[in-house]
Amino acid sequence: MTRLSDIAAFIKSANAGATQLTFDIGFPDRSTFEQIVRSGVIDAAKIASLYNIDAGDVAIHHYEPASTIKITIPRATRSGGVDERDFDGVQQYPPLLGIEVGEISR
Amino acid sequence: MAGESPFLHALDKGADVILAGRATDPAIFVAVPLRRGISPDIAWHASKSIDKGYLATTRPQDGSPVIARMRGDHFIMEPTRESSVCSVASVASLTLHENPDPFEVAQPTGTIDTSQATYEQIDDFRVKVSGSLYRKAERPSLKIEGAEFIGYRTILIAGIRDPRLIERMDEFLATYRGLIGRAAKAMGISPDDYTLQFRVYGKDAVLGAYETAPVGGAHELCLICDVVGRTEEISGAIGTRLGPTGSRLDILGKMGGGGNFAYPFSPSLIKVGPVYEWGAWHIVDTDEAEMEALFPVTVEDIG
């Protein structure tokens, strides 16, 4: 089974303001991006299960010009709070690496 | 955080160089093209596209600054270094950066809307962007940011290697927390005057509540005990109890007077100092007159 980390050009996370966390999954070309979008493997239910949150809290944008899927979820804690875990939000993406994506033709 | 208004005022007063406080990134660039008659649709998206400099190129590590050439209904992005390249993806990616929605970039006086934008590779290194929009807000708004002092932090770092303890970490920490709470109470410290957090690297320290990986995969853990007290004295007083209480806590009943905590440092207790938290992070409505008062502009001749 192919994993998302095998085919994505990059997978990263960052803060989007003080209350949101955003993930960018970039693909090497438009065709790979479109196959992933069409396959529906990255949907709100999948992301919700990986982060133990409600699917209603997951926003997904298919950003064609950059062949990138953007996912935005609420931060677990407010940015820079006393209970901060990852000040810039840059290490929150690893649960996405193992998403199984099926066959992709290049 | 200022938008473009103070920069426009400064230009109107004849400034050649502007020294400014915190402002949104595109606001720094947008005032000049707006005053030269470029439409806000083009000027804003172009300014947003150069505000991260070399991130607009395919190889940011080369450090090539970029130029946006703004025309009537489009702008053209180009690198300034000969070997660097602006591609459709590298230019379009700029609205992804630390932004929840790539089609909307909020600014104090409106929103950069890229939902109709098209990106075209016009040669090996330049990209033409058309169809950009700037939707002016009904009223201008400002982002208010502020930090608030909340106390003093003291931490203890310890390694844990016993697999039996690692397996029962949640139980260990719950008991440990109870003992520290009791010790604090005995010292006359109210629970409202401090926070105690256990950050367990090897378990869930990075993702916190979002961690869904199964527990118990690690053969060693790093425990950081993190105390934030209202005063330096409270933080230190609880801190001094962390090591002896935790290292001697025998939930297995098999320690025989040994210890749980492998300390990498001596002294093991570390004073981190004052702690600040976001106290304000809000969008507030304003108007032009108020912005002029909030961001006064003075012009000095340095001849």
Side-chain angles (χ1 to χ4, degrees), chain A residues 13 28 45 59-60 64 89 101:
Chain A
S13 58
I60 299 182
E64 199 176 300
V101 296

Side-chain angles (χ1 to χ4, degrees), chain B residues 97-120:
Chain B
H97 192 74
E98 294 175 359
N99 187 28
D101 180 339
F103 300 108
E104 297 201 342
V105 182
Q107 294 296 312
T109 58
T111 301
I112 302 168
D113 176 349
T114 70
S115 61
Q116 309 299 314
T118 56
Y119 303 80
E120 182 192 348

Side-chain angles (χ1 to χ4, degrees), chain A:
Chain A
M1 199 67 178
T2 311
R3 291 152 46 100
L4 190 60
S5 57
D6 297 329
I7 54 153
F10 60 83
I11 302 176
K12 63 183 181 181
S13 58
N15 293 341
T19 60
Q20 289 178 295
L21 190 63
T22 192
F23 304 92
D24 293 336
I25 306 169
F27 296 94
D29 49 64
R30 187 66 59 85
S31 157
T32 308
F33 165 77
E34 282 171 357
Q35 288 178 67
I36 292 292
V37 169
R38 271 201 307 271
S39 74
V41 292
I42 298 174
D43 63 6
K46 181 76 195 169
I47 302 306
S49 72
L50 290 172
Y51 287 91
N52 197 24
I53 58 179
D54 290 336
D57 285 336
V58 180
I60 299 182
H61 301 283
H62 298 138
Y63 190 48
E64 199 176 300
S67 299
T68 297
I69 297 178
K70 178 179 268 298
I71 302 162
T72 301
I73 65 174
R75 259 179 146 273
T77 61
R78 189 176 52 163
S79 173
V82 70
D83 49 0
E84 183 58 87
R85 304 267 169 176
D86 180 355
F87 201 92
D88 300 310
V90 296
Q91 272 294 309
Q92 301 298 305
Y93 62 86
L96 304 175
L97 299 172
I99 293 176
E100 292 182 350
V101 296
E103 284 312 303
I104 300 295
S105 57
R106 303 287 285 274

Side-chain angles (χ1 to χ4, degrees), chain B residues 95-293:
Chain B
T95 61
L96 290 164
H97 192 74
E98 294 175 359
N99 187 28
D101 180 339
F103 300 108
E104 297 201 342
V105 182
Q107 294 296 312
T109 58
T111 301
I112 302 168
D113 176 349
T114 70
S115 61
Q116 309 299 314
T118 56
Y119 303 80
E120 182 192 348
Q121 193 79 49
I122 53 170
D123 56 29
D124 288 346
F125 58 96
R126 295 186 301 164
V127 170
K128 177 179 172 184
V129 184
S130 323
S132 314
L133 293 171
Y134 189 69
R135 296 199 315 264
K136 204 168 181 329
E138 263 176 46
R139 294 190 61 183
S141 60
L142 288 171
K143 185 152 54 170
I144 306 287
E145 297 176 326
E148 177 183 13
F149 170 77
I150 57 165
Y152 290 85
R153 172 170 274 142
T154 304
I155 63 170
L156 179 84
I157 301 178
I160 294 173
R161 182 63 179 77
D162 187 328
R164 300 167 301 175
L165 191 52
I166 289 172
E167 203 179 316
R168 291 166 64 178
M169 206 56 202
D170 287 338
E171 180 193 342
F172 174 81
L173 294 177
T175 311
Y176 187 14
R177 180 180 292 282
L179 292 173
I180 296 296
R182 210 191 302 166
K185 203 173 167 191
M187 291 187 283
I189 299 169
S190 153
D192 295 337
D193 288 339
Y194 75 97
T195 59
L196 168 63
Q197 293 179 82
F198 299 124
R199 300 165 178 273
V200 188
Y201 287 86
K203 186 171 170 283
D204 59 2
V206 178
L207 263 65
Y210 286 174
E211 186 56 82
T212 53
V215 187
H219 68 275
E220 65 181 15
L221 298 176
C222 173
L223 169 64
I224 299 181
C225 303
D226 170 9
V227 177
V228 176
R230 201 171 46 78
T231 66
E232 207 166 1
E233 292 69 33
I234 290 172
S235 186
I238 295 174
T240 56
R241 307 304 292 266
L242 292 172
T245 306
S247 197
R248 306 246 174 268
L249 172 55
D250 190 2
I251 62 161
L252 302 167
K254 290 181 178 179
M255 268 175 47
N260 294 315
F261 289 174
Y263 295 123
F265 308 126
S266 179
S268 52
L269 202 60
I270 303 165
K271 263 191 200 178
V272 178
V275 181
Y276 297 84
E277 220 179 36
W278 282 115
W281 197 82
H282 295 92
I283 306 292
V284 294
D285 286 340
T286 181
D287 55 44
E288 285 296 336
E290 189 176 58
M291 277 202 285
E292 225 166 309

